[in-house]
Amino acid sequence: SQPETAQRKNIPIMAIHRLILAALLSVALAGPSFGFKPSLSSGATRAARRSTKLENGEGENTGPILEPSYDDPKRFDAACVANPVVLPPNKEGDKWQMYYYGNAGSWNGGIPSFLPTGWCGLAESDDGISWTKVDGAYENGAILGPSDDSNDWDAVQIGNGDVIRVPTGENSDKEELHMYYFGGSS
C-alpha cells in the first residue's frame, strides 16, 4: 500500500502530473549503474562515467556517480539505477537533486523486469559530484511507486521522464517541482 505522504493526490515535496508516453521505451544500458558529467543536460541513460578535475586541478575522478543498493536487497534500486534527471540548487540554496528510477530485479507484484524502470528515487549532493540517496516514504525507499490499483495504467512499473521547477506565487518567488513520469500495466 502507498504511504500516506506519497499518495498521488497529496505529495508534499512535488506536484505530480501524469504523462503517458506514446513511444516505445528503448533503454540500452551498458551496466547496472550510471553516472553523468555534471551539466544541466545529464539525462543520458547509457552507463556514463563521471570525469571531473580533482580539486587540486590534477588528474581525474572517474567512476559511477550512483550505484544500485547492492548491500540492501529490500531497496527499490537494489538491482539497477537509470535515467538521472539532475537539478542544480535553486534560489534558496538547496542541494543538487538527482531523480532516477530503478528496481530490485522485479516490478510491482513480483513481475520479472526486463527494463530498469520500477520505482522513482532521489539522491542529493552539495557539489553535484558526490551523491547521497534520500529515503522516500515508501517502505522500499522510493519517493514514487506504481499504483496499488491493478487497473491503473501505472500499476506494474513507473519511471521519471523529467522533473522541472515551476514558479508559483504572485512574484514567482516560490517554486514547486513537477515530475513527469510514465508507467506500465499488465
Side-chain angles (χ1 to χ4, degrees):
S1 111
Q2 294 181 2
E4 187 82 22
T5 59
Q7 292 178 353
R8 282 167 178 68
K9 295 179 182 176
N10 183 24
I11 295 181
I13 61 168
M14 70 186 76
I16 305 242
H17 294 265
R18 292 185 175 193
L19 176 67
I20 301 173
L21 300 179
L24 294 174
L25 176 62
S26 172
V27 178
L29 291 177
S33 60
F34 66 81
F36 72 99
K37 291 185 179 179
S39 73
L40 297 181
S41 59
S42 58
T45 56
R46 293 195 69 80
R49 300 278 181 191
R50 69 178 166 194
S51 177
T52 56
K53 292 285 182 188
L54 298 176
E55 286 185 25
N56 64 9
E58 296 180 16
E60 289 189 350
N61 184 7
T62 61
I65 290 286
L66 192 70
E67 292 188 293
S69 300
Y70 297 123
D71 59 338
D72 188 356
K74 294 184 181 196
R75 279 193 60 91
F76 78 96
D77 60 355
C80 64
V81 295
N83 197 43
V85 175
V86 177
L87 298 177
N90 64 8
K91 297 173 192 170
E92 285 104 35
D94 288 342
K95 296 181 178 200
W96 286 78
Q97 294 180 322
M98 179 192 307
Y99 295 87
Y100 65 98
Y101 55 73
N103 67 54
S106 63
W107 288 328
N108 202 21
I111 298 171
S113 60
F114 57 90
L115 295 171
T117 56
W119 286 262
C120 293
L122 171 65
E124 291 183 329
S125 172
D126 290 324
D127 59 8
I129 304 295
S130 300
W131 295 87
T132 302
K133 293 178 182 178
V134 176
D135 284 335
Y138 283 78
E139 186 176 317
N140 63 3
I143 62 166
L144 183 66
S147 172
D148 286 331
D149 185 343
S150 63
N151 295 316
D152 284 347
W153 62 272
D154 59 351
V156 173
Q157 51 88 15
I158 64 166
N160 55 286
D162 202 2
V163 180
I164 61 172
R165 287 194 176 101
V166 177
T168 61
E170 289 183 27
N171 300 323
S172 298
D173 55 346
K174 302 279 186 197
E175 296 176 327
E176 65 183 15
L177 296 177
H178 288 233
M179 176 185 284
Y180 297 88
Y181 75 100
F182 56 87
S185 62
S186 53

